[in-house]
């Protein structure tokens, strides 16, 4: 039975969503493994579009997002007329997208469709929905992004280069794990392992009976995960390395995020969750929203905390990420990354300012604002891809309506940068 998960959430003060009707496509779709070429790729996908064609989205349905003319499309794989990306080469791809409805207080979601079938939901938020998802495609497979919202009215959604964008990049890894929950998840304030047990592929040493990955060789593993906590509940997703708590990389009613972990051979990696209630909660199984992927992807820079600093009311303040534990090319200093070579760089962050209003995190390249990376109340998590030339700089800046003094939080303040190509 196709289910539009927005229907799981009742409209409440925290922005939960009223039931709506599915667009008629089953969400219980498992995309078959594509053949991943062992030889170097003939095509290296990299796509960015920062505009949409104005469109209307009716209540109770899913509507395709018409992402417009690309800023760059290295292999000519995005058709701005059909708003469809078609892969020329089989492999694993990272898709990041953002959409603002322009309607304050309206909650909406973004879903990825593969070959006309609804695959996974990868972003849900009030006002601005942003997220990333890793998918495996065969040559000739096509991808689209669809959205649904909780308003009872038809919305007209127009261009906004800071909030409406689509990024697609082929991941260099040819080894991955894809799993989903296959039963209810029991969660409370005590962190517990999420049973991502419905294993759909495993090329890295994942054990579905324990939901633990044991590294067969040393390296960095890039994890994306999603878990929907249900009506009127908020929760978090944390990484655990060798049974020790790492960081928070997803939070809110639907916790979603991506984060890399450096592993030695035989190290373990698992994902744990908690909700903000003392009593144990049963989180319903839902293959559309409850899933996890692992990929091999080297980390180039990692900062593990921030230095204390003050923000102002409105405007953007540079985030002073500090305590870098990884900086393989000596590119990071005082919260600024300076590229030592041309490339496409994946940026993932965790941040909190404990503000009661939404905080926005934006990317700035050589001092110029690019686009929003994360927008949330409380804890912000997000990833994006930025194209840099040698000596261009990259930093992240936060903005909220409340001036705050930011103090270090090692669980929620972190930054990672990886080079995709």
């Amino acid at each position: 039975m196709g289910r539009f998960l927005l229907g799981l959430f009742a409209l409440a003060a925290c922005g939960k969503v009223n039931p709506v009707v599915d667009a008629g496509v089953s969400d219980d779709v498992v995309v078959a493994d594509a053949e991943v070429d062992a030889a170097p790729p003939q095509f290296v996908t990299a796509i960015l579009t920062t505009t949409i064609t104005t469109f209307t989205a009716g209540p109770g349905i899913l509507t395709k997002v018409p992402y417009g003319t690309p800023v760059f499309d290295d292999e000519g794989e995005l058709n701005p007329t059909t708003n469809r990306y078609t892969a020329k080469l089989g492999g694993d791809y990272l898709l990041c997208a953002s959409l603002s409805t322009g309607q304050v207080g309206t909650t909406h979601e973004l879903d990825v469709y593969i070959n006309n079938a609804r695959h996974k939901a990868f972003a849900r938020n009030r006002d601005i929905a942003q997220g990333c998802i890793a998918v495996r495609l065969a040559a000739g497979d096509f991808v689209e992004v669809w959205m649904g919202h909780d308003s009872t009215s038809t919305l007209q959604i127009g261009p906004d280069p800071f909030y409406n964008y689509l990024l697609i990049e082929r991941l260099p890894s040819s080894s991955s794990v894809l799993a989903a929950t296959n039963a209810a998840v029991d969660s409370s304030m005590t962190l517990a392992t999420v049973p991502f047990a419905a294993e759909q592929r495993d090329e890295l040493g994942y054990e579905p009976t324990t939901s633990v990955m044991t590294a067969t060789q040393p390296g960095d593993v890039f994890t994306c995960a999603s878990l929907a906590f249900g009506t009127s509940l908020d929760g978090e997703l944390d990484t655990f390395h060798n049974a020790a708590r790492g960081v928070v990389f997803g939070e809110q009613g639907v916790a979603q995020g991506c984060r890399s972990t450096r592993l030695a051979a035989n190290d373990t990696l698992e994902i744990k969750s908690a909700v903000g209630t003392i009593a144990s909660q049963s989180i319903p199984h839902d293959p559309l929203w409850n899933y996890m992927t692992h990929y091999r992807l080297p980390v180039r820079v990692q900062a593990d905390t921030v230095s204390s600093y003050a923000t102002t009311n409105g405007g953007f303040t540079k985030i002073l990420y500090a305590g870098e534990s990884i900086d393989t090319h000596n590119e990071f200093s005082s919260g600024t990354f300076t590229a030592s070579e041309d490339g496409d760089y994946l940026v993932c962050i965790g941040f909190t300012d404990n503000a009661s209003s939404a905080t926005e995190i934006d990317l700035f390249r050589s001092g110029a604002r690019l686009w929003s990376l994360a927008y949330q109340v409380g804890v912000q998590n997000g990833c994006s891809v930025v194209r840099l030339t040698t000596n261009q700089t990259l930093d992240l800046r936060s903005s909220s309506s409340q001036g705050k003094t930011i103090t270090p939080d090692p669980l929620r303040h972190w930054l990672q940068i990886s080079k995709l190509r």
Side-chain angles (χ1 to χ4, degrees):
M1 177 180 68
R3 291 167 309 205
F4 188 4
L5 184 72
L6 288 174
L8 291 178
F9 300 94
L11 185 62
C14 59
K16 308 303 181 190
V17 184
N18 284 326
V20 293
V21 180
D22 199 341
V25 181
S26 170
D27 59 20
D28 298 325
V29 176
V30 176
V31 177
D33 284 359
E35 179 180 353
V36 180
D37 295 357
Q42 183 179 357
F43 303 100
V44 184
T45 292
I47 291 171
L48 167 65
T49 176
T50 57
T51 186
I52 61 172
T53 303
T54 299
F55 72 104
T56 57
I61 61 172
L62 289 165
T63 304
K64 183 162 64 172
V65 182
Y67 288 105
T69 303
V71 176
F72 56 79
D73 178 3
D74 292 354
E75 302 297 342
E77 295 166 294
L78 182 67
N79 186 329
T81 301
T82 62
N83 315 119
R84 176 179 291 175
Y85 162 75
T86 302
K88 288 184 176 179
L89 186 71
D92 295 323
Y93 291 79
L94 182 69
L95 182 152
C96 299
S98 175
L99 182 70
S100 170
T101 63
Q103 305 293 318
V104 176
T106 296
T107 301
H108 60 290
E109 74 175 73
L110 298 178
D111 291 18
V112 60
Y113 276 58
I114 301 177
N115 299 335
N116 286 325
R118 190 180 182 200
H119 178 55
K120 301 289 183 186
F122 66 96
R124 174 187 170 275
N125 198 13
R126 228 196 259 182
D127 305 337
I128 303 167
Q130 300 168 312
C132 295
I133 187 168
V135 295
R136 176 164 288 189
L137 303 174
D141 281 353
F142 60 85
V143 170
E144 301 160 325
V145 176
W146 291 57
M147 66 85 68
H149 61 83
D150 71 345
S151 176
T152 57
S153 303
T154 295
L155 304 182
Q156 180 168 294
I157 303 170
D160 189 315
F162 295 120
Y163 303 115
N164 299 340
Y165 59 80
L166 172 67
L167 287 150
I168 302 174
E169 188 108 12
R170 191 173 190 269
L171 289 165
S173 170
S174 61
S175 296
S176 67
V177 172
L178 169 63
T181 58
N182 64 353
V185 179
D186 290 324
S187 192
S188 66
M189 291 184 72
T190 301
L191 286 156
T193 300
V194 182
F196 292 118
E199 185 179 89
Q200 296 168 33
R201 66 173 178 266
D202 176 11
E203 299 153 353
L204 292 176
Y206 184 74
E207 177 49 63
T209 59
T210 60
S211 302
V212 174
M213 182 191 139
T214 301
T216 57
Q217 61 186 29
D220 299 330
V221 173
F222 177 63
T223 299
C224 294
S226 174
L227 185 64
F229 289 97
T231 305
S232 301
L233 291 175
D234 283 335
E236 68 181 58
L237 290 175
D238 290 28
T239 58
F240 272 69
H241 176 199
N242 291 337
R245 189 180 186 187
V247 298
V248 178
F249 72 104
E251 197 158 350
Q252 301 298 331
V254 178
Q256 295 176 311
C258 302
R259 160 80 186 191
S260 291
T261 306
R262 176 153 291 184
L263 304 175
N266 299 314
D267 279 3
T268 62
L269 173 63
E270 58 191 309
I271 307 303
K272 294 193 177 186
S273 70
V275 294
T277 61
I278 296 175
S280 179
Q281 302 290 327
S282 181
I283 311 303
H285 161 58
D286 192 293
L288 181 66
W289 289 88
N290 301 345
Y291 58 85
M292 175 273 298
T293 58
H294 291 317
Y295 287 85
R296 294 195 189 281
L297 182 64
V299 174
R300 199 171 177 107
V301 166
Q302 178 171 301
D304 298 314
T305 186
V306 298
S307 300
S308 295
Y309 67 98
T311 66
T312 59
N313 295 333
F316 285 93
T317 304
K318 180 181 176 181
I319 302 174
L320 297 181
Y321 284 103
E324 54 265 31
S325 56
I326 301 172
D327 187 1
T328 57
H329 291 68
N330 296 315
E331 295 167 303
F332 191 74
S333 177
S334 301
T336 297
F337 175 82
T338 303
S340 63
E341 56 186 337
D342 296 356
D344 293 342
Y345 293 84
L346 171 65
V347 182
C348 294
I349 61 102
F351 184 78
T352 182
D353 60 6
N354 297 311
S356 58
S357 59
T359 294
E360 176 179 336
I361 311 295
D362 280 30
L363 293 157
F364 281 72
R365 181 175 59 198
S366 296
R369 184 184 177 195
L370 291 179
W371 50 77
S372 173
L373 174 69
Y375 175 89
Q376 189 62 270
V377 176
V379 177
Q380 292 76 38
N381 299 103
C383 292
S384 190
V385 179
V386 180
R387 177 161 288 184
L388 300 174
T389 58
T390 302
N391 294 324
Q392 280 192 315
T393 63
L394 182 70
D395 65 87
L396 295 100
R397 306 183 192 185
S398 68
S399 177
S400 78
S401 60
Q402 301 178 29
K404 301 282 291 184
T405 297
I406 308 301
T407 56
D409 182 336
L411 286 175
R412 293 171 174 83
H413 287 145
W414 55 268
L415 165 70
Q416 291 181 327
I417 300 175
S418 301
K419 189 172 184 289
L420 294 179
R421 68 163 188 157

